[in-house]
Amino acid sequence: MSNYRWIGTALGLALCSAALTGCHYNDQQSGGEAAAPATPELDGAWTSRTEEQLRDAIAGAPAHGLKPDLFLKGGEKGAALTQAALKYASALANGYSDPKKLFEVYTIPHQSVDVKAGLQQAIQRGDVKSWLDSLVPQTDEYRALSQAELRFLQLASKAQFQPVADGKPIKPGSRDPRVAQIIGALQAVGYVPPQGAASNTYTTQLVTAVKALQGEFGFKQDGIIGGDTLDALNAGPGYRARQLAIAMERLRWLPRNPPGTRIDVNTAAAMLDYWRDGQHADRRNVVAGERDKPTPQLQAPLFRLVARPTWTVPKGIGEKEVADKGPAWLSDNGFALKDDLWVQASGPKNSLGLVKFDMQDKEAIYLHDTPAKALFGMPDRHRSHGCVRVENALQFATMLADQENVLDEYQQAMQGDEDNKFIKLPREIPVRLLYQTVFWDGSRVQFRPDVYGWDNNVAKALGLAPGAPIRIEQPESSDDVGP
């Protein structure tokens, strides 16, 4: 089943068809929230003004992808009102859910703010609204996602979304009885203005709109409707609002002041962003883990470069992908059996390429070069064993070596004939492997397929999908992490 095939079904529409309503949520589903602290010093401090500010703020919770009835049911006073305020403030400051309870592997630092003191000060100042507004990420990305969330909620509330029926791919200029459905699907997400009676012709105007949609989802912009493009058409406004809600929750999990120099990899989008001293310095494509070999969500330090690496193949990968090869192939690709493990010699055919970016993490994840350069030009770049292949890795390594004042050592290692030459960086660079199926690229909001199927678990924790969330385990094959 392709990424969005199920979205047009009754189940997909039921998840969040309009305005984030209609999904009952049990507070215990979030993974066992701690007992609320006693707050006698706050319970009697509410005024009619601060109470109204709180109620108005919680009524506006959909702007953050949150359902108001997670916090207020109506008529709360005193201690119940205080607890609602603390719960909502914590959701804005730290996220409503705990990622470490949702995922077996999640080592990215999780925002943790005790909001009790802040609430007390806000009530004393008589300005609860400004304080609550200050708790969410104060970034262009978060603001863009919030605005998009409200837009798609509004679109979802206007009409019942009808998915486009399956069938043969529709090419520009062709005729198809589903054209009217296509127009409706595009209108539902704001792509084309309402039209009167339409023919069955897939016109230039519609092709332009479909190409825009393809660009928004990171697909090849050929205007052909089928496969992933049809699935994206059927990701109506309610589903997009749900994706945005999940993306904002993931941003709220993160510390508000990330390291100024860092490497962020969005594994959902298969894209790397490099930040240097607080400034965005570089963006490039990567190849991330396959659907059944997901790259985990973690933070770990990049501490050294490895010039001309060899590759010791994990046993599982060796048995499945190397052991049955013939002698000629093994020789041509530099594989030899050593101590019951296959080892690939360094060189241009090595699966790690010519440079490796070593990270310190118990999941054995790292960034590296690759001889398979063509993969970087593909829309779907989830094709590794779990590690992250970096586009133009030699260029990226050279830039890092230069900025870290080890360029001479790095170049000598690359030009020498010694394998696995380590170049230690004078300071470690944090690498964050994030998973954002919706993100802001600096000019527009972009969507990506939920390749690892992790969105639904977060949606359950937010009360946007039926059922209780679970703790997602890493696949048993995660011991066989590789390039």
Side-chain angles (χ1 to χ4, degrees), residues 102-124:
L102 297 178
F103 300 96
E104 177 191 13
V105 178
Y106 188 95
T107 66
I108 303 166
H110 180 207
Q111 174 87 348
S112 180
V113 175
D114 184 352
V115 295
K116 184 176 176 180
L119 176 60
Q120 184 172 17
Q121 294 171 9
I123 293 175
Q124 291 173 348

Side-chain angles (χ1 to χ4, degrees), residues 292-364:
D292 61 343
K293 302 177 184 67
T295 300
Q297 300 167 95
L298 58 82
Q299 178 170 318
L302 166 60
F303 71 104
R304 68 185 180 189
L305 303 175
V306 184
R308 300 171 53 83
T310 60
W311 179 39
T312 300
V313 185
K315 189 171 183 179
I317 297 176
E319 291 174 349
K320 294 176 183 177
E321 302 181 21
V322 181
D324 61 348
K325 301 294 185 182
W329 184 92
L330 293 171
S331 176
D332 187 50
N333 288 277
F335 285 95
L337 198 58
K338 299 180 181 179
D339 298 327
D340 293 326
L341 289 174
W342 291 101
V343 178
Q344 187 180 25
S346 66
K349 291 187 177 181
N350 186 280
S351 297
L352 302 182
L354 295 175
V355 65
K356 177 184 176 185
F357 304 81
D358 249 351
M359 295 160 52
Q360 292 177 327
D361 70 279
K362 65 179 182 179
E363 303 302 321

Side-chain angles (χ1 to χ4, degrees), residues 284 355 357 368-370 390-398 410:
R284 59 189 62 216
V355 65
F357 304 81
H368 63 93
D369 185 23
T370 177
V390 180
E391 184 178 28
N392 294 324
L394 294 178
Q395 177 200 57
F396 190 54
T398 299
Y410 168 73

Side-chain angles (χ1 to χ4, degrees), residues 67-133:
K67 295 169 57 181
D69 64 5
L70 295 176
F71 311 99
L72 284 177
K73 306 299 182 183
E76 289 88 347
K77 295 288 185 179
L81 191 67
T82 300
Q83 296 310 318
L86 290 171
K87 188 176 182 182
Y88 184 57
S90 181
L92 298 181
N94 308 314
Y96 184 77
S97 57
D98 183 347
K100 295 182 180 180
K101 293 180 180 179
L102 297 178
F103 300 96
E104 177 191 13
V105 178
Y106 188 95
T107 66
I108 303 166
H110 180 207
Q111 174 87 348
S112 180
V113 175
D114 184 352
V115 295
K116 184 176 176 180
L119 176 60
Q120 184 172 17
Q121 294 171 9
I123 293 175
Q124 291 173 348
R125 292 194 307 267
D127 191 0
V128 172
K129 178 184 184 302
S130 296
W131 174 67
L132 289 172
D133 289 343

Side-chain angles (χ1 to χ4, degrees), residues 366-440:
Y366 47 85
L367 280 58
H368 63 93
D369 185 23
T370 177
K373 311 296 186 187
L375 294 180
F376 296 114
M378 301 183 69
D380 182 5
R381 297 186 296 279
H382 296 90
R383 299 172 182 273
S384 83
H385 292 94
C387 289
V388 177
R389 309 175 194 176
V390 180
E391 184 178 28
N392 294 324
L394 294 178
Q395 177 200 57
F396 190 54
T398 299
M399 177 173 63
L400 294 181
D402 184 30
Q403 293 175 346
E404 295 299 316
N405 298 314
V406 291
L407 181 59
D408 288 345
E409 184 181 353
Y410 168 73
Q411 289 179 332
Q412 290 173 9
M414 292 297 296
Q415 293 165 6
D417 55 9
E418 182 180 348
D419 294 341
N420 290 320
K421 184 67 174 179
F422 301 130
I423 302 94
K424 184 175 175 60
L425 300 180
R427 64 168 178 169
E428 297 175 342
I429 300 176
V431 178
R432 304 193 302 181
L433 303 182
L434 309 168
Y435 187 75
Q436 287 289 120
T437 56
V438 186
F439 62 98
W440 171 251

Side-chain angles (χ1 to χ4, degrees), residues 90-304:
S90 181
L92 298 181
N94 308 314
Y96 184 77
S97 57
D98 183 347
K100 295 182 180 180
K101 293 180 180 179
L102 297 178
F103 300 96
E104 177 191 13
V105 178
Y106 188 95
T107 66
I108 303 166
H110 180 207
Q111 174 87 348
S112 180
V113 175
D114 184 352
V115 295
K116 184 176 176 180
L119 176 60
Q120 184 172 17
Q121 294 171 9
I123 293 175
Q124 291 173 348
R125 292 194 307 267
D127 191 0
V128 172
K129 178 184 184 302
S130 296
W131 174 67
L132 289 172
D133 289 343
S134 73
L135 297 177
V136 298
Q138 304 296 308
T139 63
D140 290 341
E141 178 170 38
Y142 191 88
R143 284 187 285 270
L145 298 189
S146 177
Q147 292 168 4
E149 168 80 0
L150 292 175
R151 173 173 173 262
F152 282 112
L153 287 176
Q154 183 180 33
L155 288 168
S157 70
K158 288 182 177 179
Q160 181 69 36
F161 175 74
Q162 296 295 328
V164 179
D166 205 351
K168 294 181 179 180
I170 306 172
K171 297 181 178 181
S174 64
R175 295 176 62 83
D176 192 284
R178 293 171 292 168
V179 166
Q181 295 177 339
I182 293 167
I183 293 173
L186 289 168
Q187 289 174 354
V189 291
Y191 272 106
V192 294
Q195 300 179 10
S199 69
N200 289 337
T201 302
Y202 183 27
T203 64
T204 300
Q205 180 189 17
L206 292 175
V207 172
T208 299
V210 169
K211 286 182 177 180
L213 178 142
Q214 289 174 326
E216 194 173 64
F217 278 80
F219 302 150
K220 182 179 179 181
Q221 292 179 273
D222 56 11
I224 298 174
I225 301 175
D228 287 342
T229 297
L230 179 60
D231 295 333
L233 267 175
N234 286 337
Y239 183 84
R240 290 198 187 201
R242 195 191 82 145
Q243 268 195 296
L244 285 155
I246 293 164
M248 284 189 283
E249 174 75 349
R250 287 187 169 119
L251 291 179
R252 290 192 296 267
W253 290 342
L254 302 176
R256 300 298 183 261
N257 297 304
T261 296
R262 67 186 186 277
I263 296 169
D264 284 345
V265 177
N266 181 350
T267 58
M271 183 179 299
L272 178 152
D273 286 287
Y274 172 49
W275 297 81
R276 185 80 185 181
D277 298 328
Q279 301 297 314
H280 188 257
D282 188 74
R283 170 172 287 170
R284 59 189 62 216
N285 290 339
V286 300
V287 173
E290 298 176 3
R291 296 166 191 269
D292 61 343
K293 302 177 184 67
T295 300
Q297 300 167 95
L298 58 82
Q299 178 170 318
L302 166 60
F303 71 104
R304 68 185 180 189

